[in-house]
mmCIF file of all heavy atoms in Angstrom:
data_model
loop_
_atom_site.group_PDB
_atom_site.id
_atom_site.type_symbol
_atom_site.label_atom_id
_atom_site.label_comp_id
_atom_site.label_asym_id
_atom_site.label_seq_id
_atom_site.Cartn_x
_atom_site.Cartn_y
_atom_site.Cartn_z
ATOM 1 N N MET A 1 4.559 -31.479 -5.038
ATOM 2 C CA MET A 1 3.855 -30.443 -5.798
ATOM 3 C C MET A 1 4.843 -29.477 -6.436
ATOM 4 O O MET A 1 5.747 -28.968 -5.790
ATOM 5 C CB MET A 1 2.932 -29.651 -4.871
ATOM 6 C CG MET A 1 1.790 -30.513 -4.329
ATOM 7 S SD MET A 1 0.799 -29.614 -3.183
ATOM 8 C CE MET A 1 0.075 -28.403 -4.266
ATOM 9 N N THR A 2 4.644 -29.256 -7.676
ATOM 10 C CA THR A 2 5.534 -28.329 -8.346
ATOM 11 C C THR A 2 4.722 -27.250 -9.052
ATOM 12 O O THR A 2 3.780 -27.536 -9.758
ATOM 13 C CB THR A 2 6.404 -29.054 -9.385
ATOM 14 O OG1 THR A 2 5.553 -29.774 -10.289
ATOM 15 C CG2 THR A 2 7.330 -30.030 -8.721
ATOM 16 N N LYS A 3 5.142 -26.088 -8.799
ATOM 17 C CA LYS A 3 4.479 -24.974 -9.469
ATOM 18 C C LYS A 3 5.530 -24.149 -10.201
ATOM 19 O O LYS A 3 6.683 -24.082 -9.779
ATOM 20 C CB LYS A 3 3.737 -24.098 -8.458
ATOM 21 C CG LYS A 3 2.512 -24.808 -7.922
ATOM 22 C CD LYS A 3 1.748 -23.879 -6.978
ATOM 23 C CE LYS A 3 0.496 -24.589 -6.457
ATOM 24 N NZ LYS A 3 -0.263 -23.716 -5.572
ATOM 25 N N GLY A 4 5.133 -23.532 -11.231
ATOM 26 C CA GLY A 4 6.061 -22.799 -12.067
ATOM 27 C C GLY A 4 6.647 -21.577 -11.372
ATOM 28 O O GLY A 4 7.814 -21.283 -11.507
ATOM 29 N N THR A 5 5.827 -20.925 -10.628
ATOM 30 C CA THR A 5 6.311 -19.699 -10.005
ATOM 31 C C THR A 5 6.664 -19.937 -8.543
ATOM 32 O O THR A 5 5.804 -20.269 -7.739
ATOM 33 C CB THR A 5 5.228 -18.616 -10.064
ATOM 34 O OG1 THR A 5 4.835 -18.438 -11.411
ATOM 35 C CG2 THR A 5 5.725 -17.320 -9.504
ATOM 36 N N PRO A 6 7.940 -19.803 -8.222
ATOM 37 C CA PRO A 6 8.325 -19.973 -6.821
ATOM 38 C C PRO A 6 7.875 -18.769 -5.995
ATOM 39 O O PRO A 6 7.965 -17.636 -6.433
ATOM 40 C CB PRO A 6 9.845 -20.011 -6.888
ATOM 41 C CG PRO A 6 10.192 -19.254 -8.139
ATOM 42 C CD PRO A 6 9.040 -19.518 -9.095
ATOM 43 N N SER A 7 7.360 -19.070 -4.851
ATOM 44 C CA SER A 7 6.896 -17.972 -3.988
ATOM 45 C C SER A 7 7.628 -18.016 -2.680
ATOM 46 O O SER A 7 7.974 -19.080 -2.177
ATOM 47 C CB SER A 7 5.383 -18.106 -3.784
ATOM 48 O OG SER A 7 5.101 -19.316 -3.126
ATOM 49 N N LYS A 8 7.847 -16.873 -2.154
ATOM 50 C CA LYS A 8 8.546 -16.800 -0.879
ATOM 51 C C LYS A 8 7.643 -17.290 0.236
ATOM 52 O O LYS A 8 6.498 -16.898 0.356
ATOM 53 C CB LYS A 8 8.957 -15.354 -0.605
ATOM 54 C CG LYS A 8 10.005 -14.855 -1.577
ATOM 55 C CD LYS A 8 10.370 -13.432 -1.249
ATOM 56 C CE LYS A 8 11.431 -12.923 -2.230
ATOM 57 N NZ LYS A 8 11.746 -11.511 -1.956
ATOM 58 N N LYS A 9 8.231 -18.131 1.044
ATOM 59 C CA LYS A 9 7.466 -18.613 2.191
ATOM 60 C C LYS A 9 7.899 -17.861 3.445
ATOM 61 O O LYS A 9 8.945 -17.238 3.477
ATOM 62 C CB LYS A 9 7.696 -20.111 2.381
ATOM 63 C CG LYS A 9 7.006 -20.943 1.316
ATOM 64 C CD LYS A 9 7.203 -22.420 1.646
ATOM 65 C CE LYS A 9 6.482 -23.261 0.585
ATOM 66 N NZ LYS A 9 6.629 -24.707 0.868
ATOM 67 N N GLY A 10 7.085 -17.975 4.430
ATOM 68 C CA GLY A 10 7.460 -17.333 5.678
ATOM 69 C C GLY A 10 6.329 -16.465 6.171
ATOM 70 O O GLY A 10 5.384 -16.149 5.440
ATOM 71 N N GLY A 11 6.445 -16.085 7.385
ATOM 72 C CA GLY A 11 5.382 -15.292 8.003
ATOM 73 C C GLY A 11 5.603 -13.796 7.830
ATOM 74 O O GLY A 11 4.853 -13.013 8.384
ATOM 75 N N LYS A 12 6.609 -13.459 7.047
ATOM 76 C CA LYS A 12 6.876 -12.038 6.898
ATOM 77 C C LYS A 12 5.803 -11.409 6.020
ATOM 78 O O LYS A 12 5.559 -11.870 4.910
ATOM 79 C CB LYS A 12 8.252 -11.818 6.280
ATOM 80 C CG LYS A 12 9.382 -12.141 7.220
ATOM 81 C CD LYS A 12 10.713 -11.802 6.578
ATOM 82 C CE LYS A 12 11.847 -12.096 7.541
ATOM 83 N NZ LYS A 12 13.157 -11.773 6.942
ATOM 84 N N ARG A 13 5.221 -10.409 6.545
ATOM 85 C CA ARG A 13 4.209 -9.695 5.767
ATOM 86 C C ARG A 13 4.748 -8.318 5.386
ATOM 87 O O ARG A 13 5.348 -7.622 6.199
ATOM 88 C CB ARG A 13 2.936 -9.531 6.599
ATOM 89 C CG ARG A 13 2.231 -10.841 6.826
ATOM 90 C CD ARG A 13 1.120 -10.659 7.806
ATOM 91 N NE ARG A 13 1.655 -10.279 9.113
ATOM 92 C CZ ARG A 13 0.887 -9.938 10.134
ATOM 93 N NH1 ARG A 13 -0.402 -9.915 10.023
ATOM 94 N NH2 ARG A 13 1.428 -9.600 11.281
ATOM 95 N N THR A 14 4.567 -8.008 4.158
ATOM 96 C CA THR A 14 5.075 -6.726 3.687
ATOM 97 C C THR A 14 4.119 -5.589 4.029
ATOM 98 O O THR A 14 4.527 -4.519 4.394
ATOM 99 C CB THR A 14 5.270 -6.771 2.158
ATOM 100 O OG1 THR A 14 6.065 -7.894 1.845
ATOM 101 C CG2 THR A 14 5.955 -5.520 1.675
ATOM 102 N N HIS A 15 2.859 -5.907 3.911
ATOM 103 C CA HIS A 15 1.869 -4.876 4.153
ATOM 104 C C HIS A 15 0.897 -5.306 5.255
ATOM 105 O O HIS A 15 0.657 -6.473 5.462
ATOM 106 C CB HIS A 15 1.076 -4.581 2.872
ATOM 107 C CG HIS A 15 1.936 -4.025 1.768
ATOM 108 N ND1 HIS A 15 2.491 -4.806 0.796
ATOM 109 C CD2 HIS A 15 2.314 -2.759 1.507
ATOM 110 C CE1 HIS A 15 3.189 -4.030 -0.037
ATOM 111 N NE2 HIS A 15 3.095 -2.772 0.362
ATOM 112 N N THR A 16 0.376 -4.323 5.906
ATOM 113 C CA THR A 16 -0.641 -4.583 6.916
ATOM 114 C C THR A 16 -1.779 -3.577 6.727
ATOM 115 O O THR A 16 -1.711 -2.725 5.847
ATOM 116 C CB THR A 16 -0.049 -4.455 8.323
ATOM 117 O OG1 THR A 16 -1.015 -4.838 9.270
ATOM 118 C CG2 THR A 16 0.381 -3.004 8.603
ATOM 119 N N ILE A 17 -2.758 -3.693 7.552
ATOM 120 C CA ILE A 17 -3.905 -2.825 7.392
ATOM 121 C C ILE A 17 -3.524 -1.391 7.751
ATOM 122 O O ILE A 17 -2.971 -1.116 8.813
ATOM 123 C CB ILE A 17 -5.057 -3.298 8.300
ATOM 124 C CG1 ILE A 17 -5.434 -4.733 7.972
ATOM 125 C CG2 ILE A 17 -6.247 -2.376 8.145
ATOM 126 C CD1 ILE A 17 -5.976 -4.911 6.579
ATOM 127 N N CYS A 18 -3.845 -0.510 6.860
ATOM 128 C CA CYS A 18 -3.608 0.894 7.112
ATOM 129 C C CYS A 18 -4.720 1.426 8.011
ATOM 130 O O CYS A 18 -5.892 1.156 7.792
ATOM 131 C CB CYS A 18 -3.566 1.671 5.795
ATOM 132 S SG CYS A 18 -3.486 3.458 6.018
ATOM 133 N N ARG A 19 -4.325 2.165 8.999
ATOM 134 C CA ARG A 19 -5.326 2.626 9.961
ATOM 135 C C ARG A 19 -6.039 3.887 9.459
ATOM 136 O O ARG A 19 -6.962 4.370 10.100
ATOM 137 C CB ARG A 19 -4.677 2.893 11.311
ATOM 138 C CG ARG A 19 -3.678 4.033 11.289
ATOM 139 C CD ARG A 19 -3.058 4.178 12.658
ATOM 140 N NE ARG A 19 -2.084 5.270 12.679
ATOM 141 C CZ ARG A 19 -1.359 5.611 13.739
ATOM 142 N NH1 ARG A 19 -1.500 4.934 14.862
ATOM 143 N NH2 ARG A 19 -0.498 6.573 13.693
ATOM 144 N N ARG A 20 -5.528 4.438 8.385
ATOM 145 C CA ARG A 20 -6.188 5.624 7.878
ATOM 146 C C ARG A 20 -7.168 5.302 6.753
ATOM 147 O O ARG A 20 -8.286 5.756 6.771
ATOM 148 C CB ARG A 20 -5.151 6.634 7.362
ATOM 149 C CG ARG A 20 -5.823 7.933 6.956
ATOM 150 C CD ARG A 20 -4.845 9.065 6.851
ATOM 151 N NE ARG A 20 -4.034 8.956 5.634
ATOM 152 C CZ ARG A 20 -3.202 9.916 5.241
ATOM 153 N NH1 ARG A 20 -3.068 11.013 5.959
ATOM 154 N NH2 ARG A 20 -2.487 9.766 4.159
ATOM 155 N N CYS A 21 -6.726 4.486 5.785
ATOM 156 C CA CYS A 21 -7.617 4.188 4.669
ATOM 157 C C CYS A 21 -8.247 2.811 4.840
ATOM 158 O O CYS A 21 -9.205 2.482 4.166
ATOM 159 C CB CYS A 21 -6.851 4.244 3.345
ATOM 160 S SG CYS A 21 -5.616 2.951 3.133
ATOM 161 N N GLY A 22 -7.710 2.014 5.769
ATOM 162 C CA GLY A 22 -8.324 0.721 6.038
ATOM 163 C C GLY A 22 -7.967 -0.350 5.045
ATOM 164 O O GLY A 22 -8.455 -1.468 5.148
ATOM 165 N N LYS A 23 -7.100 -0.029 4.113
ATOM 166 C CA LYS A 23 -6.714 -1.010 3.119
ATOM 167 C C LYS A 23 -5.470 -1.754 3.553
ATOM 168 O O LYS A 23 -4.672 -1.272 4.355
ATOM 169 C CB LYS A 23 -6.451 -0.318 1.755
ATOM 170 C CG LYS A 23 -7.702 0.288 1.174
ATOM 171 C CD LYS A 23 -7.380 0.897 -0.160
ATOM 172 C CE LYS A 23 -8.638 1.533 -0.761
ATOM 173 N NZ LYS A 23 -8.360 2.161 -2.069
ATOM 174 N N HIS A 24 -5.309 -2.926 2.981
ATOM 175 C CA HIS A 24 -4.142 -3.755 3.329
ATOM 176 C C HIS A 24 -2.971 -3.306 2.464
ATOM 177 O O HIS A 24 -2.505 -4.022 1.571
ATOM 178 C CB HIS A 24 -4.486 -5.223 3.096
ATOM 179 C CG HIS A 24 -3.489 -6.130 3.706
ATOM 180 N ND1 HIS A 24 -2.415 -6.669 3.027
ATOM 181 C CD2 HIS A 24 -3.405 -6.625 4.965
ATOM 182 C CE1 HIS A 24 -1.724 -7.439 3.845
ATOM 183 N NE2 HIS A 24 -2.280 -7.433 5.014
ATOM 184 N N ALA A 25 -2.518 -2.110 2.713
ATOM 185 C CA ALA A 25 -1.506 -1.527 1.849
ATOM 186 C C ALA A 25 -0.428 -0.801 2.629
ATOM 187 O O ALA A 25 0.449 -0.167 2.044
ATOM 188 C CB ALA A 25 -2.161 -0.590 0.854
ATOM 189 N N PHE A 26 -0.472 -0.897 3.922
ATOM 190 C CA PHE A 26 0.525 -0.194 4.737
ATOM 191 C C PHE A 26 1.800 -1.019 4.843
ATOM 192 O O PHE A 26 1.811 -2.103 5.401
ATOM 193 C CB PHE A 26 -0.057 0.091 6.122
ATOM 194 C CG PHE A 26 0.814 0.990 6.948
ATOM 195 C CD1 PHE A 26 0.788 2.364 6.734
ATOM 196 C CD2 PHE A 26 1.638 0.493 7.925
ATOM 197 C CE1 PHE A 26 1.581 3.220 7.490
ATOM 198 C CE2 PHE A 26 2.433 1.316 8.689
ATOM 199 C CZ PHE A 26 2.404 2.691 8.466
ATOM 200 N N HIS A 27 2.880 -0.475 4.281
ATOM 201 C CA HIS A 27 4.154 -1.172 4.285
ATOM 202 C C HIS A 27 4.759 -1.140 5.685
ATOM 203 O O HIS A 27 4.958 -0.066 6.262
ATOM 204 C CB HIS A 27 5.109 -0.525 3.281
ATOM 205 C CG HIS A 27 6.222 -1.431 2.863
ATOM 206 N ND1 HIS A 27 7.305 -1.698 3.643
ATOM 207 C CD2 HIS A 27 6.385 -2.156 1.726
ATOM 208 C CE1 HIS A 27 8.114 -2.533 3.003
ATOM 209 N NE2 HIS A 27 7.572 -2.825 1.834
ATOM 210 N N ILE A 28 5.056 -2.315 6.208
ATOM 211 C CA ILE A 28 5.500 -2.387 7.586
ATOM 212 C C ILE A 28 6.894 -1.806 7.753
ATOM 213 O O ILE A 28 7.166 -1.044 8.678
ATOM 214 C CB ILE A 28 5.469 -3.859 8.080
ATOM 215 C CG1 ILE A 28 4.039 -4.367 8.053
ATOM 216 C CG2 ILE A 28 6.060 -3.955 9.469
ATOM 217 C CD1 ILE A 28 3.914 -5.830 8.389
ATOM 218 N N GLN A 29 7.791 -2.167 6.862
ATOM 219 C CA GLN A 29 9.164 -1.710 6.997
ATOM 220 C C GLN A 29 9.316 -0.252 6.594
ATOM 221 O O GLN A 29 10.021 0.518 7.233
ATOM 222 C CB GLN A 29 10.087 -2.594 6.151
ATOM 223 C CG GLN A 29 10.195 -4.010 6.703
ATOM 224 C CD GLN A 29 11.148 -4.837 5.889
ATOM 225 O OE1 GLN A 29 11.293 -4.660 4.693
ATOM 226 N NE2 GLN A 29 11.832 -5.771 6.545
ATOM 227 N N LYS A 30 8.632 0.104 5.540
ATOM 228 C CA LYS A 30 8.727 1.488 5.066
ATOM 229 C C LYS A 30 7.872 2.440 5.880
ATOM 230 O O LYS A 30 8.082 3.648 5.857
ATOM 231 C CB LYS A 30 8.328 1.565 3.595
ATOM 232 C CG LYS A 30 9.326 0.891 2.660
ATOM 233 C CD LYS A 30 8.880 1.058 1.227
ATOM 234 C CE LYS A 30 9.850 0.399 0.278
ATOM 235 N NZ LYS A 30 9.403 0.552 -1.133
ATOM 236 N N ARG A 31 6.882 1.833 6.551
ATOM 237 C CA ARG A 31 5.945 2.623 7.337
ATOM 238 C C ARG A 31 5.207 3.625 6.437
ATOM 239 O O ARG A 31 4.943 4.760 6.810
ATOM 240 C CB ARG A 31 6.669 3.377 8.472
ATOM 241 C CG ARG A 31 7.576 2.520 9.286
ATOM 242 C CD ARG A 31 6.803 1.440 10.005
ATOM 243 N NE ARG A 31 5.967 1.999 11.074
ATOM 244 C CZ ARG A 31 5.135 1.263 11.815
ATOM 245 N NH1 ARG A 31 5.036 -0.039 11.579
ATOM 246 N NH2 ARG A 31 4.407 1.804 12.729
ATOM 247 N N ILE A 32 4.903 3.153 5.270
ATOM 248 C CA ILE A 32 4.194 3.997 4.315
ATOM 249 C C ILE A 32 3.055 3.208 3.723
ATOM 250 O O ILE A 32 3.216 2.064 3.326
ATOM 251 C CB ILE A 32 5.140 4.481 3.193
ATOM 252 C CG1 ILE A 32 6.222 5.388 3.781
ATOM 253 C CG2 ILE A 32 4.361 5.227 2.114
ATOM 254 C CD1 ILE A 32 7.286 5.740 2.758
ATOM 255 N N CYS A 33 1.912 3.836 3.653
ATOM 256 C CA CYS A 33 0.795 3.165 3.013
ATOM 257 C C CYS A 33 0.872 3.370 1.509
ATOM 258 O O CYS A 33 1.047 4.479 1.026
ATOM 259 C CB CYS A 33 -0.514 3.727 3.535
ATOM 260 S SG CYS A 33 -1.947 3.040 2.703
ATOM 261 N N ALA A 34 0.749 2.278 0.799
ATOM 262 C CA ALA A 34 0.856 2.345 -0.657
ATOM 263 C C ALA A 34 -0.398 2.901 -1.278
ATOM 264 O O ALA A 34 -0.399 3.283 -2.433
ATOM 265 C CB ALA A 34 1.155 0.948 -1.223
ATOM 266 N N SER A 35 -1.431 2.948 -0.508
ATOM 267 C CA SER A 35 -2.699 3.388 -1.061
ATOM 268 C C SER A 35 -2.934 4.864 -0.808
ATOM 269 O O SER A 35 -3.190 5.620 -1.757
ATOM 270 C CB SER A 35 -3.831 2.564 -0.457
ATOM 271 O OG SER A 35 -5.079 2.970 -0.988
ATOM 272 N N CYS A 36 -2.820 5.296 0.429
ATOM 273 C CA CYS A 36 -3.148 6.679 0.741
ATOM 274 C C CYS A 36 -1.895 7.471 1.108
ATOM 275 O O CYS A 36 -1.968 8.687 1.257
ATOM 276 C CB CYS A 36 -4.171 6.734 1.873
ATOM 277 S SG CYS A 36 -3.552 6.185 3.472
ATOM 278 N N GLY A 37 -0.762 6.795 1.244
ATOM 279 C CA GLY A 37 0.464 7.516 1.528
ATOM 280 C C GLY A 37 0.649 7.828 3.001
ATOM 281 O O GLY A 37 1.495 8.633 3.364
ATOM 282 N N PHE A 38 -0.122 7.196 3.845
ATOM 283 C CA PHE A 38 -0.020 7.444 5.274
ATOM 284 C C PHE A 38 1.369 7.062 5.794
ATOM 285 O O PHE A 38 1.872 5.969 5.522
ATOM 286 C CB PHE A 38 -1.116 6.642 5.998
ATOM 287 C CG PHE A 38 -1.053 6.812 7.490
ATOM 288 C CD1 PHE A 38 -1.389 8.008 8.065
ATOM 289 C CD2 PHE A 38 -0.648 5.767 8.277
ATOM 290 C CE1 PHE A 38 -1.342 8.176 9.443
ATOM 291 C CE2 PHE A 38 -0.597 5.901 9.659
ATOM 292 C CZ PHE A 38 -0.946 7.120 10.232
ATOM 293 N N GLY A 39 1.974 7.938 6.537
ATOM 294 C CA GLY A 39 3.302 7.687 7.079
ATOM 295 C C GLY A 39 4.378 8.408 6.265
ATOM 296 O O GLY A 39 5.440 8.704 6.765
ATOM 297 N N ASN A 40 4.062 8.668 5.026
ATOM 298 C CA ASN A 40 5.035 9.334 4.171
ATOM 299 C C ASN A 40 4.772 10.827 4.102
ATOM 300 O O ASN A 40 5.662 11.635 4.119
ATOM 301 C CB ASN A 40 4.982 8.735 2.768
ATOM 302 C CG ASN A 40 6.028 9.336 1.859
ATOM 303 O OD1 ASN A 40 7.072 9.750 2.321
ATOM 304 N ND2 ASN A 40 5.756 9.360 0.567
ATOM 305 N N THR A 41 3.524 11.130 4.050
ATOM 306 C CA THR A 41 3.166 12.535 3.943
ATOM 307 C C THR A 41 1.916 12.807 4.776
ATOM 308 O O THR A 41 1.119 11.915 5.023
ATOM 309 C CB THR A 41 2.902 12.931 2.482
ATOM 310 O OG1 THR A 41 2.462 14.279 2.427
ATOM 311 C CG2 THR A 41 1.842 12.033 1.864
ATOM 312 N N LYS A 42 1.809 14.046 5.162
ATOM 313 C CA LYS A 42 0.622 14.403 5.934
ATOM 314 C C LYS A 42 -0.615 14.504 5.057
ATOM 315 O O LYS A 42 -1.743 14.368 5.509
ATOM 316 C CB LYS A 42 0.864 15.721 6.662
ATOM 317 C CG LYS A 42 1.937 15.604 7.720
ATOM 318 C CD LYS A 42 2.154 16.947 8.395
ATOM 319 C CE LYS A 42 3.269 16.827 9.446
ATOM 320 N NZ LYS A 42 3.549 18.132 10.070
ATOM 321 N N LYS A 43 -0.333 14.763 3.800
ATOM 322 C CA LYS A 43 -1.431 14.870 2.864
ATOM 323 C C LYS A 43 -1.871 13.484 2.408
ATOM 324 O O LYS A 43 -1.069 12.548 2.385
ATOM 325 C CB LYS A 43 -1.024 15.699 1.650
ATOM 326 C CG LYS A 43 -0.724 17.136 1.992
ATOM 327 C CD LYS A 43 -0.316 17.885 0.740
ATOM 328 C CE LYS A 43 0.034 19.341 1.092
ATOM 329 N NZ LYS A 43 0.440 20.071 -0.127
ATOM 330 N N ILE A 44 -3.087 13.391 2.042
ATOM 331 C CA ILE A 44 -3.597 12.152 1.506
ATOM 332 C C ILE A 44 -3.078 11.980 0.081
ATOM 333 O O ILE A 44 -3.099 12.916 -0.727
ATOM 334 C CB ILE A 44 -5.137 12.125 1.508
ATOM 335 C CG1 ILE A 44 -5.642 12.195 2.943
ATOM 336 C CG2 ILE A 44 -5.665 10.873 0.814
ATOM 337 C CD1 ILE A 44 -7.155 12.253 3.048
ATOM 338 N N ARG A 45 -2.574 10.803 -0.171
ATOM 339 C CA ARG A 45 -1.999 10.513 -1.483
ATOM 340 C C ARG A 45 -3.031 10.762 -2.567
ATOM 341 O O ARG A 45 -4.128 10.195 -2.570
ATOM 342 C CB ARG A 45 -1.529 9.050 -1.517
ATOM 343 C CG ARG A 45 -0.979 8.605 -2.847
ATOM 344 C CD ARG A 45 -0.424 7.212 -2.676
ATOM 345 N NE ARG A 45 -0.090 6.591 -3.954
ATOM 346 C CZ ARG A 45 -0.908 5.802 -4.614
ATOM 347 N NH1 ARG A 45 -2.102 5.559 -4.140
ATOM 348 N NH2 ARG A 45 -0.555 5.266 -5.734
ATOM 349 N N HIS A 46 -2.642 11.621 -3.461
ATOM 350 C CA HIS A 46 -3.598 11.961 -4.523
ATOM 351 C C HIS A 46 -2.837 12.336 -5.769
ATOM 352 O O HIS A 46 -1.820 13.016 -5.721
ATOM 353 C CB HIS A 46 -4.485 13.129 -4.077
ATOM 354 C CG HIS A 46 -5.451 13.553 -5.126
ATOM 355 N ND1 HIS A 46 -6.584 12.803 -5.414
ATOM 356 C CD2 HIS A 46 -5.491 14.604 -5.942
ATOM 357 C CE1 HIS A 46 -7.248 13.411 -6.366
ATOM 358 N NE2 HIS A 46 -6.610 14.511 -6.719
ATOM 359 N N TYR A 47 -3.323 11.856 -6.876
ATOM 360 C CA TYR A 47 -2.724 12.201 -8.145
ATOM 361 C C TYR A 47 -3.747 12.851 -9.042
ATOM 362 O O TYR A 47 -4.946 12.552 -8.977
ATOM 363 C CB TYR A 47 -2.167 10.957 -8.845
ATOM 364 C CG TYR A 47 -0.971 10.381 -8.124
ATOM 365 C CD1 TYR A 47 -1.095 9.163 -7.461
ATOM 366 C CD2 TYR A 47 0.243 11.049 -8.125
ATOM 367 C CE1 TYR A 47 -0.003 8.625 -6.791
ATOM 368 C CE2 TYR A 47 1.322 10.531 -7.456
ATOM 369 C CZ TYR A 47 1.199 9.318 -6.802
ATOM 370 O OH TYR A 47 2.275 8.790 -6.160
ATOM 371 N N ASN A 48 -3.251 13.709 -9.867
ATOM 372 C CA ASN A 48 -4.152 14.445 -10.748
ATOM 373 C C ASN A 48 -4.796 13.537 -11.794
ATOM 374 O O ASN A 48 -5.869 13.834 -12.296
ATOM 375 C CB ASN A 48 -3.393 15.566 -11.461
ATOM 376 C CG ASN A 48 -2.981 16.632 -10.487
ATOM 377 O OD1 ASN A 48 -3.649 16.863 -9.486
ATOM 378 N ND2 ASN A 48 -1.870 17.294 -10.742
ATOM 379 N N TRP A 49 -4.081 12.466 -12.121
ATOM 380 C CA TRP A 49 -4.588 11.612 -13.176
ATOM 381 C C TRP A 49 -5.633 10.635 -12.651
ATOM 382 O O TRP A 49 -6.185 9.855 -13.416
ATOM 383 C CB TRP A 49 -3.456 10.870 -13.894
ATOM 384 C CG TRP A 49 -2.453 10.261 -12.957
ATOM 385 C CD1 TRP A 49 -1.275 10.812 -12.550
ATOM 386 C CD2 TRP A 49 -2.542 8.984 -12.328
ATOM 387 N NE1 TRP A 49 -0.634 9.956 -11.696
ATOM 388 C CE2 TRP A 49 -1.374 8.826 -11.549
ATOM 389 C CE3 TRP A 49 -3.490 7.953 -12.347
ATOM 390 C CZ2 TRP A 49 -1.152 7.670 -10.806
ATOM 391 C CZ3 TRP A 49 -3.250 6.810 -11.594
ATOM 392 C CH2 TRP A 49 -2.092 6.678 -10.849
ATOM 393 N N ILE A 50 -5.876 10.691 -11.359
ATOM 394 C CA ILE A 50 -6.947 9.857 -10.852
ATOM 395 C C ILE A 50 -8.256 10.641 -10.918
ATOM 396 O O ILE A 50 -8.461 11.570 -10.163
ATOM 397 C CB ILE A 50 -6.666 9.459 -9.400
ATOM 398 C CG1 ILE A 50 -5.404 8.596 -9.347
ATOM 399 C CG2 ILE A 50 -7.847 8.681 -8.813
ATOM 400 C CD1 ILE A 50 -5.028 8.169 -7.939
ATOM 401 N N LYS A 51 -9.050 10.238 -11.845
ATOM 402 C CA LYS A 51 -10.331 10.916 -11.998
ATOM 403 C C LYS A 51 -11.415 9.872 -12.160
ATOM 404 O O LYS A 51 -11.227 8.840 -12.781
ATOM 405 C CB LYS A 51 -10.307 11.832 -13.217
ATOM 406 C CG LYS A 51 -9.362 13.009 -13.065
ATOM 407 C CD LYS A 51 -9.398 13.882 -14.294
ATOM 408 C CE LYS A 51 -8.434 15.065 -14.120
ATOM 409 N NZ LYS A 51 -8.423 15.918 -15.329
ATOM 410 N N ASN A 52 -12.512 10.203 -11.584
ATOM 411 C CA ASN A 52 -13.637 9.278 -11.693
ATOM 412 C C ASN A 52 -14.431 9.582 -12.972
ATOM 413 O O ASN A 52 -15.217 10.491 -13.032
ATOM 414 C CB ASN A 52 -14.567 9.419 -10.469
ATOM 415 C CG ASN A 52 -13.884 8.891 -9.240
ATOM 416 O OD1 ASN A 52 -13.088 7.950 -9.320
ATOM 417 N ND2 ASN A 52 -14.181 9.487 -8.101
ATOM 418 N N ARG A 53 -14.128 8.767 -13.947
ATOM 419 C CA ARG A 53 -14.870 8.932 -15.192
ATOM 420 C C ARG A 53 -15.936 7.868 -15.308
ATOM 421 O O ARG A 53 -15.703 6.712 -15.036
ATOM 422 C CB ARG A 53 -13.932 8.812 -16.407
ATOM 423 C CG ARG A 53 -13.031 10.040 -16.576
ATOM 424 C CD ARG A 53 -12.239 9.912 -17.851
ATOM 425 N NE ARG A 53 -11.402 11.096 -18.077
ATOM 426 C CZ ARG A 53 -10.639 11.241 -19.146
ATOM 427 N NH1 ARG A 53 -10.587 10.270 -20.039
ATOM 428 N NH2 ARG A 53 -9.921 12.314 -19.302
ATOM 429 N N THR A 54 -17.056 8.306 -15.728
ATOM 430 C CA THR A 54 -18.135 7.334 -15.903
ATOM 431 C C THR A 54 -18.685 7.454 -17.323
ATOM 432 O O THR A 54 -18.665 8.528 -17.884
ATOM 433 C CB THR A 54 -19.286 7.563 -14.907
ATOM 434 O OG1 THR A 54 -19.728 8.915 -14.971
ATOM 435 C CG2 THR A 54 -18.823 7.229 -13.517
HETATM 436 ZN ZN1 LIG B 29 -3.662 3.955 3.760
#
């Protein structure tokens, strides 16, 4: 089987389930959640440009 894009194999997982936001975005090595920022800051990750527009 040949595919154009080579992918890294192995059981190494970069992210795991974040216990605060519940998303699969918690970086294991960095110990930082990419979604809510858990582990990096006490505050919940939030940006001003995130607005709920409908
Ligand atoms: Zn999180």
